[in-house]
Amino acid sequence: MENKIQLLDSSLINKIAAGEVIERPASVIKELLENSLDAGATEIKIEIEDAGLRGIKITDNGHGMTKDDLTLSFKRHTTSKIKNTNDLFNIMSLGFRGEALASVAEISNLKITTKTKNEDVGNFIEIEGGKIIDQGITGSNTGTKIEIRDLFYNVPARKKYLKSNEVEFNHILKVVTKYALIRENVSIKLFRDKKEILNSQKTSMLLDKIIFIYGAEIAKEMTPVSFKDGNIRITGFISKPSLTRATKQDQSIYVNQRYVKNSTITNAVYEAYKTLLFINRHPVFVLSLKVDPKDIDVNVHPAKELIRLKDEEQISKIVLNAIEKAFEDTSLIAQATLDYEGHRKADKKYSFSKDFQSNLEIEPTETQRRLEVKEPTPTYGIKPQSNKPNPYDTNETTIEEPKNKHENFGPFRILGQVNKTFIVAETPRGLCLIDQHAAEERTNYEKFMKEKKEQAIKTQILLTPKVIELNPFQFRTLMNHEQFVKSLGYDFTDFGENSVKLSSVPEIFGRLKSILFIDIINELEKNKGGMVTDEIEKRIIRFSCRASVKAGDELTPFQMRELMYKLEESDNPFSCPHGRPTIIEFGVAELEKKFKRTGW
Ligand code: ADP
Ligand code: MG
């Protein structure tokens, strides 16, 4: 075939560019939101219909455009933000490529209405597939309103790559959340099909924004970062090692107020946590870097999400130092947090203080009441449960014949506890150590699975229902999986503004804080709106059982016997649901060998 080079017509060029800039409805929102922020808007309202494909409307109170600017704004490579090459390397605005409006205009029906503060009347222009179809004057407030209908109507191939409405909407929410987090004194409202999803308040306190987006439980576990080195300033919050997530979703990095993805910075943060993180767990952070615009290149990616750092090593070192210093200063946090709480109370619409009590008050169950009975001395022979004989009610000298349900399991004569972790016992075969946490995890797991199978999960009613603030993602996930979460024994109702009122919890997890409830939601969130498979359900129940076991509990002899009794009753007493052993036995022969008594 003969090659023939042609200059593409401008409509085709725009469609090609649109492919790079506008990948999905969320990319449109990102570009428009950035334009509103660049225009100095302090109030931005975003309205979405049908995950954005049918309609997107964004209204801002920024400086608006004159009629002349309006007619240029949607052309390709038209921008008010840079003028020459010098400017390109000194960018403080979010936009500068002059491509966004042109791209959107090419693949939708776009109407822009705008007015500057010096004009009495506004101007509008309507464009479809890149062509002007209407224009004129109209009443308008100062600022800009952009309405988009039928996105991708003329690029069906792009439409095919889109995911479900839920997934697309989640992308939109993610973009809006990132900017709602960082912009001081800007209020961003997001509506979907007329329902308010997010309404970030004007505040200059980053922690307030974090509380608003992530909820108070998370905010409590965050440590402030504030660090300066030469031209570089880092501020923000990072989670204490006690708060981690299964995904990196709750990590935000901003460079000169632009949300970016940058592995140099992310890696430096992880480096600072070093051994404090468990495998596959990720910290939560919101970090804002201010650097000299000359030290970065933001023009490396059409969506401007990736940036190049001129001196990666230097930035990496500074980020590392900043976070290490934040950890060193952690002792100051308690005080700082109290201060912030004071602040928060003044905020009427979102008073988060209601969630600050982290322990649930729970009506004690029968079992708990029984366990709490103080034993004067280690008396043996108390029957822990029902009327069944307890094989561990042994006396000092005799070991009963095994009546146990498992071969090579017990009976045990309990000798004591080591390090509030291991139970030491004697069996007819020798010495054994039981990991009390693994054992409890196993018994909880089997009990819960049995209750679940019989659809008879025991629940505990909270004396005072607890209001739990969720972020908009968590709220949506929870509502999408309401049936499932309720089937685990949680009961809750929608409490407005992305919060729920929790009124009962499964008895087995009763000791727990609402953190576990949130962990379950986060686990479901990872599943991206899919069905809850058996595997996911098991994973959730396994980690719930693990989390429900309290570390380092001093056990009374009675409690130890009760635990061993329950362990023996389980179907698989030898390992915890995660596969760790519950029990290790040292045979008499092995002990003899260790003491070199063999052959005596
Ligand atoms: P860029 O943001 O890269 O300059 P865009 O295509 O996004 O390119 O926008 C083109 C121009 O239109 C901007 O430079 C700006 O002057 C103007 N503009 C776009 N949106 C707004 C808005 N919401 N308020 C005021 N001016 C706007
Ligand atoms: Mg722009």
Side-chain angles (χ1 to χ4, degrees), residues 35 39 60 64-65 73 78-81 95-101 144:
N35 281 346
D60 70 48
M65 282 179 267
S73 64
T78 54
T79 179
S80 57
K81 298 170 193 174
F96 58 90
R97 293 170 62 104
E99 288 182 316
L101 284 183
T144 304

Side-chain angles (χ1 to χ4, degrees), residues 31 34-35 38 81 95-96 100 304:
E31 293 296 336
E34 291 186 347
N35 281 346
D38 279 346
K81 298 170 193 174
F96 58 90
K304 300 159 288 164

Side-chain angles (χ1 to χ4, degrees), residues 333-538:
I333 292 166
Q335 263 182 328
T337 314
L338 282 179
D339 277 355
Y340 282 123
E341 273 185 42
H343 253 92
R344 224 170 283 127
K345 292 218 176 77
D347 183 345
K348 289 213 179 54
K349 186 154 186 223
Y350 299 106
S351 77
F352 299 97
S353 46
K354 52 194 167 190
D355 200 34
F356 266 88
Q357 179 197 351
S358 58
N359 280 306
L360 301 179
E361 279 177 57
I362 285 169
E363 181 108 61
T365 62
E366 248 328 285
T367 322
Q368 282 169 346
R369 268 200 212 106
R370 217 152 21 82
L371 289 176
E372 268 149 29
V373 172
K374 288 243 159 49
E375 286 176 84
T377 45
T379 39
Y380 290 81
I382 298 171
K383 291 209 170 109
Q385 238 173 6
S386 66
N387 294 323
K388 280 190 201 164
N390 181 348
Y392 312 129
D393 294 345
T394 57
N395 63 38
E396 291 289 315
T397 49
T398 59
I399 295 176
E400 288 175 28
E401 274 311 296
K403 320 175 188 159
N404 45 337
K405 112 180 194 189
H406 302 281
E407 222 180 300
N408 290 335
F409 190 84
F412 303 96
R413 185 164 68 92
I414 292 166
L415 303 171
Q417 192 185 16
V418 174
N419 197 30
K420 295 185 188 169
T421 307
F422 305 107
I423 297 172
V424 189
E426 183 185 2
T427 72
R429 295 166 299 281
L431 172 76
C432 81
L433 293 173
I434 297 104
D435 180 327
Q436 74 193 47
H437 303 124
E440 201 179 337
E441 209 178 315
R442 161 57 61 188
T443 62
N444 281 353
Y445 180 73
E446 290 198 9
K447 180 162 179 270
F448 190 83
M449 288 311 253
K450 185 162 168 282
E451 287 177 5
K452 183 146 200 318
K453 200 163 142 218
E454 293 165 0
Q455 299 197 324
I457 293 179
K458 291 207 186 75
T459 59
Q460 290 182 327
I461 310 223
L462 304 184
L463 290 181
T464 34
K466 186 176 163 79
V467 173
I468 296 180
E469 308 272 348
L470 299 170
N471 72 38
F473 300 100
Q474 293 168 327
F475 183 78
R476 300 182 56 74
T477 303
L478 178 61
M479 287 308 163
N480 288 341
H481 294 292
E482 189 174 349
Q483 268 335 89
F484 170 74
V485 178
K486 286 189 170 165
S487 80
L488 296 177
Y490 289 94
D491 199 15
F492 53 89
T493 47
D494 185 344
F495 199 61
E497 287 167 22
N498 296 324
S499 65
V500 291
K501 195 159 87 182
L502 188 62
S503 51
S504 72
V505 296
E507 187 191 286
I508 289 182
F509 312 144
R511 277 170 167 181
L512 274 185
K513 303 166 194 176
S514 48
I515 288 284
L516 179 56
F517 180 64
I518 293 172
D519 272 353
I520 292 174
I521 301 171
N522 288 339
E523 185 68 30
L524 291 169
E525 202 179 321
K526 271 200 301 190
N527 192 29
K528 302 247 180 284
M531 293 269 296
V532 182
T533 59
D534 278 0
E535 193 204 330
I536 294 169
E537 178 178 316
K538 282 220 177 82

Side-chain angles (χ1 to χ4, degrees), residues 28-88:
V28 177
I29 308 291
K30 175 179 184 290
E31 293 296 336
L32 299 183
L33 190 51
E34 291 186 347
N35 281 346
S36 294
L37 291 167
D38 279 346
T42 53
E43 272 163 28
I44 303 170
K45 181 175 173 192
I46 305 164
E47 292 159 277
I48 307 288
E49 253 177 78
D50 190 22
L53 284 183
R54 196 160 316 138
I56 293 171
K57 182 155 110 185
I58 169 163
T59 315
D60 70 48
N61 66 347
H63 55 55
M65 282 179 267
T66 60
K67 188 179 172 200
D68 288 349
D69 276 353
L70 176 62
T71 47
L72 281 176
S73 64
F74 65 94
K75 304 250 165 71
R76 209 153 99 88
H77 304 310
T78 54
T79 179
S80 57
K81 298 170 193 174
I82 56 172
K83 293 191 171 56
N84 51 41
T85 319
N86 253 356
D87 293 346
L88 183 58

Side-chain angles (χ1 to χ4, degrees), residues 125-191:
I125 197 161
E126 190 176 342
I127 306 138
E128 195 168 282
K131 310 250 165 0
I132 299 177
I133 55 172
D134 196 6
Q135 57 187 323
I137 53 169
T138 179
S140 165
N141 291 331
T142 299
T144 304
K145 176 166 76 184
I146 296 198
E147 293 162 280
I148 294 163
R149 308 213 66 82
D150 301 325
L151 183 64
F152 299 131
Y153 82 99
N154 54 357
V155 269
R158 177 64 68 178
K159 244 183 174 167
K160 262 202 296 205
Y161 285 102
L162 296 180
K163 300 271 174 9
S164 71
N165 273 0
E166 275 321 298
V167 173
E168 291 305 328
F169 186 74
N170 259 350
H171 281 288
I172 293 176
L173 193 50
K174 222 177 271 180
V175 166
V176 177
T177 306
K178 295 294 181 196
Y179 277 112
L181 252 180
I182 198 66
R183 284 297 169 133
E184 287 180 6
N185 298 318
V186 175
S187 145
I188 301 179
K189 293 193 176 85
L190 173 67
F191 290 81

Side-chain angles (χ1 to χ4, degrees), residues 314-343:
Q314 180 206 21
I315 298 232
S316 169
K317 221 169 71 202
I318 294 174
V319 172
L320 179 69
N321 288 343
I323 310 259
E324 282 179 345
K325 173 161 177 301
F327 284 142
E328 277 167 28
D329 294 346
T330 312
S331 52
L332 302 171
I333 292 166
Q335 263 182 328
T337 314
L338 282 179
D339 277 355
Y340 282 123
E341 273 185 42
H343 253 92

Side-chain angles (χ1 to χ4, degrees), residues 85-354:
T85 319
N86 253 356
D87 293 346
L88 183 58
F89 298 103
N90 201 7
I91 286 175
M92 285 310 278
S93 56
L94 295 169
F96 58 90
R97 293 170 62 104
E99 288 182 316
L101 284 183
S103 299
V104 175
E106 195 63 42
I107 54 174
S108 69
N109 172 296
L110 167 72
K111 184 175 175 188
I112 311 174
T113 309
T114 184
K115 187 183 97 62
T116 62
K117 70 174 190 310
N118 301 323
E119 291 167 310
D120 297 328
V121 66
N123 294 285
F124 76 90
I125 197 161
E126 190 176 342
I127 306 138
E128 195 168 282
K131 310 250 165 0
I132 299 177
I133 55 172
D134 196 6
Q135 57 187 323
I137 53 169
T138 179
S140 165
N141 291 331
T142 299
T144 304
K145 176 166 76 184
I146 296 198
E147 293 162 280
I148 294 163
R149 308 213 66 82
D150 301 325
L151 183 64
F152 299 131
Y153 82 99
N154 54 357
V155 269
R158 177 64 68 178
K159 244 183 174 167
K160 262 202 296 205
Y161 285 102
L162 296 180
K163 300 271 174 9
S164 71
N165 273 0
E166 275 321 298
V167 173
E168 291 305 328
F169 186 74
N170 259 350
H171 281 288
I172 293 176
L173 193 50
K174 222 177 271 180
V175 166
V176 177
T177 306
K178 295 294 181 196
Y179 277 112
L181 252 180
I182 198 66
R183 284 297 169 133
E184 287 180 6
N185 298 318
V186 175
S187 145
I188 301 179
K189 293 193 176 85
L190 173 67
F191 290 81
R192 179 186 190 186
D193 298 327
K194 304 229 157 22
K195 192 170 177 273
E196 183 184 291
I197 305 287
L198 192 137
N199 177 358
S200 79
Q201 298 293 291
K202 277 186 209 171
T203 164
S204 59
M205 301 291 295
L206 178 57
L207 192 61
D208 283 342
K209 299 240 173 199
I210 292 176
I211 292 168
F212 174 67
I213 302 286
Y214 292 132
E217 290 281 353
I218 304 265
K220 263 195 313 191
E221 299 293 319
M222 304 289 278
T223 293
V225 179
S226 176
F227 194 78
K228 190 169 183 314
D229 187 333
N231 279 335
I232 299 172
R233 207 184 145 70
I234 305 179
T235 51
F237 283 85
I238 52 166
S239 63
K240 297 176 201 166
S242 52
L243 171 72
T244 56
R245 289 273 165 263
T247 68
K248 293 185 175 181
Q249 184 167 313
D250 297 337
Q251 304 183 341
S252 310
I253 298 171
Y254 304 84
V255 174
N256 294 349
Q257 299 267 72
R258 178 193 307 280
Y259 170 67
V260 298
K261 291 191 177 132
N262 185 280
S263 56
T264 304
I265 298 172
T266 307
N267 292 343
V269 175
Y270 277 78
E271 171 70 17
Y273 278 89
K274 272 189 212 109
T275 53
L276 299 173
L277 287 174
F278 284 101
I279 299 176
N280 293 331
R281 298 298 294 181
H282 304 278
V284 176
F285 55 80
V286 179
L287 287 177
S288 172
L289 278 75
K290 291 241 158 58
V291 306
D292 185 334
K294 291 187 186 64
D295 291 339
I296 55 172
D297 186 357
V298 290
N299 188 25
V300 292
H301 184 241
K304 300 159 288 164
E305 211 172 62
L306 300 176
I307 56 165
R308 196 173 294 137
L309 306 168
K310 294 251 163 78
D311 190 344
E312 293 191 347
E313 210 170 303
Q314 180 206 21
I315 298 232
S316 169
K317 221 169 71 202
I318 294 174
V319 172
L320 179 69
N321 288 343
I323 310 259
E324 282 179 345
K325 173 161 177 301
F327 284 142
E328 277 167 28
D329 294 346
T330 312
S331 52
L332 302 171
I333 292 166
Q335 263 182 328
T337 314
L338 282 179
D339 277 355
Y340 282 123
E341 273 185 42
H343 253 92
R344 224 170 283 127
K345 292 218 176 77
D347 183 345
K348 289 213 179 54
K349 186 154 186 223
Y350 299 106
S351 77
F352 299 97
S353 46
K354 52 194 167 190

